[in-house]
Amino acid sequence: DIQMTQSPASLSASLEEIVTITCQASQDIGNWLAWYQQKPGKSPQLLIYGATSLADGVPSRFSGSRSGTQYSLKISRLQVEDIGIYYCLQAYSAPWTFGGGTKLELK
Amino acid sequence: QVQLKESGPGLMQPSETLSLTCTVSGFSLTSNGVGWVRQPLGKGLVWMGTIWAGGSTNYNSAVQSRLSISRDTSKSQVFLKMNSLQPEDTGTYYCARHGSWGLFDYWGQGVMVTVSS
């Protein structure tokens, strides 16, 4: 199975700050990676697909990048509505596996 | 407008069989796969299995021996059945559509299942 190691597990940041979350894949998954945001009591919402493409309706302050088997989600200017838990997902091969999640809080 | 909605019992007893239904609209089950994802309370997301547009299935090996996913395309419904429930099966169960890149692009609201005697 492909392991997705996500870091950090939790993150406290100030409004307008730049935030970066990473996922390390245990093997090559190409661009078969997505990022999701989950708010309390809600289902996950797609932010990024294909490692770097912004999903419809997602603010442009979110961006995804890839360097080898390391993937990053960047929030360029943190807003209040960005608070939640973020997950990466590899969709390269079954079993589909998620990162452990990053809980993003306001400082 | 793509929508998915899970339904099923909220409370189950250990050793019972869980049956959940995912009713979809806005797309055809013969065009997109639908997967089930479980989230234990306060924990992360775990893919359980998928039924693809052609009708084939993939299961997570951790639950494969207990899990069955099927569908009724005429009713736009996908079914999850999992037997021999244990307390550790407690959590929120989501159904989600597989979009491009094989990932989940639309999710249902989730249904909370508690396994307790």
Side-chain angles (χ1 to χ4, degrees), chain B residues 52-104:
Chain B
W52 296 104
S56 63
T57 53
N58 281 107
Y59 299 116
N60 189 320
S61 59
V63 293
Q64 184 168 9
S65 62
R66 301 192 291 135
L67 181 65
S68 175
I69 298 174
S70 59
R71 68 183 185 181
D72 183 335
T73 56
S74 67
K75 294 183 178 179
S76 294
Q77 292 180 322
V78 175
F79 310 106
L80 175 148
K81 288 190 188 305
M82 189 163 68
N83 59 33
S84 304
L85 286 178
Q86 295 301 315
E88 51 266 35
D89 293 314
T90 293
T92 299
Y93 288 71
Y94 296 98
C95 61
R97 188 184 84 161
H98 281 276
S100 58
W101 292 90
L103 50 83
F104 301 112

Side-chain angles (χ1 to χ4, degrees), chain B residues 29-48:
Chain B
L29 294 179
T30 58
S31 296
N32 292 81
V34 171
W36 289 93
V37 175
R38 179 168 70 186
Q39 186 170 37
L41 194 63
K43 295 190 177 181
L45 303 163
V46 180
W47 171 77
M48 299 183 70

Side-chain angles (χ1 to χ4, degrees), chain A residues 27-98:
Chain A
Q27 66 184 71
D28 180 25
I29 60 170
N31 284 339
W32 297 82
L33 182 110
W35 289 98
Y36 296 88
Q37 177 195 63
Q38 185 177 33
K39 297 186 178 182
K42 300 294 186 181
S43 55
Q45 298 294 308
L46 179 65
L47 299 174
I48 301 287
Y49 66 94
T52 60
S53 298
L54 202 63
D56 290 343
V58 176
S60 59
R61 63 180 179 273
F62 290 90
S63 64
S65 64
R66 170 194 173 191
S67 176
T69 56
Q70 182 166 291
Y71 301 81
S72 298
L73 173 70
K74 177 182 170 182
I75 308 173
S76 60
R77 297 182 312 279
L78 186 67
Q79 304 296 305
V80 172
E81 58 267 30
D82 300 335
I83 298 312
I85 301 177
Y86 291 80
Y87 295 94
C88 63
L89 165 72
Q90 71 80 17
Y92 179 76
S93 67
W96 277 248
T97 44
F98 293 87

